[in-house]
Amino acid sequence: NRERHFKKGYGSLDVRRVEKYSIIQRLQESYPVKLLCQTFDIQRSSYKYWRSRPKGDAPYRRKLKLMVRSAHLLSGGSAGARTVASIVSQRGEKLTRYVASGLMKELGLVSNQLPKHAYKRADKLHVAIPNTLDRQFIVGKPNQVWCGDITYIWTGQRWAYLAVVLDLYARKPVGWALSLKADSELTSKALLMAYESRGRPNGLLFHSDQGVQYTSLRFRQNLWRYQIKQSMSRRGNCWDNAPMERFFRSLKTEWVPETGYRSFAEAKQSITDYVIGYYSGIRPHRHNDDLPPNVAESMYWKTYKPVASFT
């Protein structure tokens, strides 16, 4: 009966959170705090925290804001709410990460660390494609085995996705594409670039992981159209596509800035310079006896003697 009477008198009030705290404080002598908090949809822990706040809440909040801003500047702008709360607490002012998060929002402070990336998981099984390559990464001639994979690049406001096709003979990138979507259209563009730029070769084997971009019907139809045989790594085994993993590691450690690029256009131009200019034409590769991929491949074609056909 007490609960019904209380809700009838106060339950329909549409007041701000602070005003709710004040009402609960005034009524807690007549009603249980648990009942009051349930009625006004307030967490008891939040109310207790509000009750235990220091006197003069406005000056205390200004002090906390100054300490939060100082901690954020001290980290070079990289600290998030959890780190800011820890730094402030070390300086003698107890602060939870939730309060720190609210204060950072009021101050417009954002961590400049790159957000965590996660690919979408496939919800459908794909056709079984064997691991034909089976880690046989040493091949005898160009345009015999290609590998493909996708990585992500930060472009100022969001992630972009880079698909690359690598010729295993000299570890030369022969096709690539950059897009804001990691779909089969991206991998198909990279494959088309490789196929056209290499003169539409025959008898190719294309190897990749089991990503949905490579198991999709569209991509497999393109392989069939170009008469390319498909091979796939075992599930969750990155070593089965080690040359591609090594290429992306070189790209990100040698070329891509630690904080990513400022825009999509800047990322596209920079990656093109790396793939065509530095990596293919200048950078020595241990697999090629410290020769760049372009030089190693040109040496093969100089010694290559095709068998003449007679009619």
Side-chain angles (χ1 to χ4, degrees):
N1 292 334
R2 292 171 60 191
E3 182 178 355
R4 193 182 309 113
H5 171 73
F6 180 82
K7 287 186 176 181
K8 182 178 179 181
Y10 296 96
S12 61
L13 290 178
D14 184 13
V15 294
R16 295 178 303 169
R17 181 176 295 269
V18 176
E19 293 174 340
K20 291 180 181 180
Y21 290 152
S22 301
I23 294 175
I24 293 174
Q25 187 177 19
R26 291 197 302 267
L27 297 175
Q28 67 178 5
E29 295 181 0
S30 303
Y31 300 94
V33 174
K34 181 179 180 180
L35 174 62
L36 294 171
C37 290
Q38 289 178 349
T39 304
F40 285 101
D41 194 22
I42 295 293
Q43 295 289 337
R44 279 191 295 168
S45 58
S46 300
Y47 173 69
K48 290 180 179 179
Y49 179 82
W50 178 81
R51 282 292 309 275
S52 62
R53 74 195 189 284
K55 300 297 181 181
D57 187 51
Y60 176 70
R61 194 170 183 83
R62 286 197 295 268
K63 177 184 175 182
L64 283 181
K65 286 184 177 181
L66 290 174
M67 297 185 72
V68 166
R69 187 185 296 276
S70 175
H72 188 262
L73 291 175
L74 184 65
S75 69
S78 64
R82 190 186 298 271
T83 304
V84 166
S86 178
I87 295 174
V88 173
S89 298
Q90 291 174 14
R91 295 180 173 182
E93 201 65 58
K94 188 176 180 181
L95 185 68
T96 66
R97 64 187 179 99
Y98 304 105
V99 177
S101 176
L103 293 174
M104 288 179 67
K105 288 181 180 179
E106 291 181 21
L107 294 169
L109 302 178
V110 181
S111 172
N112 59 18
Q113 294 187 39
L114 299 185
K116 185 178 180 181
H117 178 273
Y119 284 113
K120 293 182 179 179
R121 292 185 176 272
D123 55 356
K124 296 182 181 178
L125 294 176
H126 59 78
V127 295
I129 300 173
N131 183 14
T132 306
L133 183 60
D134 195 23
R135 298 192 186 181
Q136 301 301 314
F137 300 133
I138 307 299
V139 298
K141 62 181 181 179
N143 297 331
Q144 184 177 5
V145 180
W146 290 351
C147 288
D149 202 357
I150 297 176
T151 191
Y152 49 89
I153 305 291
W154 185 251
T155 57
Q157 299 295 328
R158 58 182 298 184
W159 294 106
Y161 300 91
L162 173 67
V164 176
V165 177
L166 198 71
D167 190 313
L168 280 187
Y169 174 75
R171 304 297 196 265
K172 179 179 178 178
V174 293
W176 61 93
L178 189 68
S179 173
L180 295 176
K181 293 182 179 180
D183 52 13
S184 58
E185 182 178 357
L186 172 66
T187 54
S188 297
K189 286 181 178 179
L191 179 65
L192 176 61
M193 178 181 180
Y195 185 69
E196 294 292 342
S197 65
R198 303 292 275 185
R200 302 184 177 184
N202 296 319
L204 268 169
L205 177 68
F206 183 86
H207 183 80
S208 69
D209 59 18
Q210 297 189 25
V212 294
Q213 300 85 1
Y214 295 104
T215 61
S216 66
L217 177 61
R218 175 177 179 178
F219 186 81
R220 289 187 288 113
Q221 284 176 337
N222 287 329
L223 291 176
W224 177 83
R225 186 179 299 113
Y226 305 149
Q227 297 183 1
I228 298 175
K229 185 178 180 181
Q230 189 172 18
S231 169
M232 279 196 165
S233 304
R234 290 167 293 178
R235 185 177 182 86
N237 197 321
C238 61
W239 294 104
D240 286 350
N241 202 12
M244 284 304 316
E245 301 291 345
R246 186 64 181 85
F247 172 80
F248 286 142
R249 176 190 169 190
S250 299
L251 170 66
K252 291 189 176 182
T253 57
E254 298 173 2
W255 201 261
V256 177
E258 290 186 3
T259 56
Y261 294 101
R262 292 171 295 182
S263 65
F264 182 87
E266 180 186 10
K268 188 173 183 179
Q269 182 61 53
S270 178
I271 291 171
T272 302
D273 292 341
Y274 179 80
V275 172
I276 296 179
Y278 180 71
Y279 187 88
S280 298
I282 300 175
R283 182 187 184 277
H285 201 294
R286 185 177 301 178
H287 173 74
N288 300 327
D289 296 328
D290 291 332
L291 294 176
N294 285 348
V295 177
E297 196 171 87
S298 64
M299 292 179 64
Y300 170 84
W301 293 118
K302 286 181 181 179
T303 59
Y304 173 70
K305 296 180 180 179
V307 178
S309 58
F310 298 93
T311 58

